[in-house]
């Protein structure tokens, strides 16, 4: 009976120690779990902050890269526009040079054609002048010969006319003298009126004879 209380006390002590030890272990485990949770939370928060910082850095770098890319694209676009304008200017200059070369060749061809036409026209004019000179010389000689022939013909015809005129004047003078003598003979036996008419006719015939004589002298 004496051992039972002692066993009970000992068992109660041991049970209390085990209970306290279990509580201590549980508390220690809770503390460790809490510490580990805190450490995990701290680590998680640190990782989250790292990720946030990395994301922020990435966003800032992305923005910087985007701005740099946009600036580079604008720069490249500006350079490409400048190159395109230079290429267009080069193409227009090349086409202008080709057009100028074609125009110069066309102008030279036209000048050659004009010079050739001028030379051909000059040679034709020269040949025409030669032909005209030859024809003029021939016509001059023909005109001189024709003039000589006309002068000879005129001289011959005038000589013939003068001879005929002289012959006719001589015949007229002879007829007039015969008629005058005849009229004088008749007028001696006529009255005064018939004598006056005969005198008028005599004067008229004399004036005609003097006219033919003057004309013959002028023709000579």
């Amino acid at each position: 009976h004496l051992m039972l209380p002692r066993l009970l006390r000992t068992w109660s002590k041991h049970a209390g120690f085990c209970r306290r030890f279990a509580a201590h272990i549980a508390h220690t485990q809770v503390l460790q779990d809490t510490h580990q949770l805190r450490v995990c939370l701290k680590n998680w928060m640190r990782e989250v902050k790292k990720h946030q910082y990395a994301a922020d850095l990435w966003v800032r770098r992305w923005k910087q890269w985007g701005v740099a890319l946009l600036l580079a694209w604008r720069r490249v676009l500006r350079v490409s526009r400048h190159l395109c304008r230079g290429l267009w200017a080069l193409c227009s200059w090349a086409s202008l040079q080709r057009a100028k070369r074609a125009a110069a060749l066309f102008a030279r061809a036209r000048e050659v054609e004009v010079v050739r036409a001028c030379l051909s026209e000059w040679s034709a004019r020269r040949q025409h002048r030669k032909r005209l000179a030859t024809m003029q010389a021939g016509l001059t000689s023909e005109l001189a010969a024709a003039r000589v022939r006309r002068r000879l013909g005129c001289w011959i015809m005038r000589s013939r006319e003068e001879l005929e005129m002289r012959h006719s004047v001589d015949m007229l003078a002879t007829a007039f003298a015969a008629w005058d003598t005849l009229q004088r003979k008749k007028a001696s036996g006529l009255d005064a009126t018939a004598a006056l008419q005969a005198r008028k006719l005599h004067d008229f015939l004399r004036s005609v004879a003097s006219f033919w004589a003057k004309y013959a002298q002028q023709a000579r």
Side-chain angles (χ1 to χ4, degrees):
H1 295 282
L2 292 173
M3 289 298 292
L4 183 60
R6 292 178 63 184
L7 287 171
L8 289 169
R9 278 195 306 274
T10 303
W11 182 78
S12 62
K13 288 180 181 179
H14 181 70
F17 175 76
C18 288
R19 190 171 51 253
R20 288 193 302 275
F21 184 74
H24 177 69
I25 289 172
H27 181 66
T28 303
Q29 188 68 33
V30 170
L31 290 176
Q32 288 180 355
D33 291 339
T34 305
H35 180 68
Q36 288 180 359
L37 182 61
R38 288 178 180 175
V39 171
C40 288
L41 287 174
K42 287 182 180 180
N43 291 328
W44 181 75
M45 291 296 293
R46 193 180 296 114
E47 292 294 330
V48 169
K49 288 182 179 180
K50 285 182 180 179
H51 283 291
Q52 288 180 354
Y53 180 74
D56 189 13
L57 181 63
W58 175 258
V59 169
R60 284 183 293 175
R61 287 184 179 178
W62 180 259
K63 288 182 180 179
Q64 292 177 359
W65 290 346
V67 172
L69 182 62
L70 184 61
L71 293 175
W73 178 73
R74 288 181 179 176
R75 191 178 298 110
V76 170
L77 184 62
R78 194 178 299 113
V79 172
S80 63
R81 285 180 180 176
H82 182 69
L83 290 176
C84 287
R85 289 176 182 174
L87 184 61
W88 278 109
L90 181 61
C91 291
S92 62
W93 179 80
S95 62
L96 180 62
Q97 292 296 323
R98 286 196 296 269
K100 286 176 67 177
R101 187 165 179 264
L105 291 175
F106 181 74
R108 288 182 182 177
R110 293 295 296 175
E111 287 179 359
V112 170
E113 289 180 359
V114 169
V115 170
R116 189 177 298 167
C118 290
L119 288 175
S120 62
E121 187 68 22
W122 177 74
S123 62
R125 288 288 181 86
R126 190 175 180 183
Q127 292 177 1
H128 185 64
R129 285 180 182 177
K130 288 182 179 179
R131 288 195 299 270
L132 287 178
T134 305
M135 292 172 66
Q136 186 177 3
L139 287 174
T140 304
S141 61
E142 289 179 1
L143 287 174
R147 192 178 295 115
V148 171
R149 285 195 299 270
R150 282 199 305 272
R151 286 179 181 177
L152 289 174
C154 290
W155 181 75
I156 292 169
M157 289 177 67
R158 185 165 290 182
S159 298
R160 288 180 181 176
E161 287 177 357
E162 288 179 357
L163 291 174
E164 290 177 357
M165 191 177 295
R166 286 178 184 178
H167 184 66
S168 62
V169 168
D170 293 337
M171 289 178 65
L172 182 61
T174 304
F176 176 73
W179 180 80
D180 189 15
T181 55
L182 183 61
Q183 290 295 327
R184 284 181 181 180
K185 290 178 179 181
K186 288 181 179 181
S188 60
L190 295 175
D191 55 355
T193 304
L196 182 60
Q197 291 179 358
R199 180 62 63 180
K200 288 182 179 179
L201 183 60
H202 178 266
D203 293 335
F204 175 72
L205 291 174
R206 182 173 292 177
S207 63
V208 172
S210 64
F211 172 76
W212 279 106
K214 289 180 181 179
Y215 181 75
Q217 288 178 2
Q218 288 178 2
R220 289 178 184 177

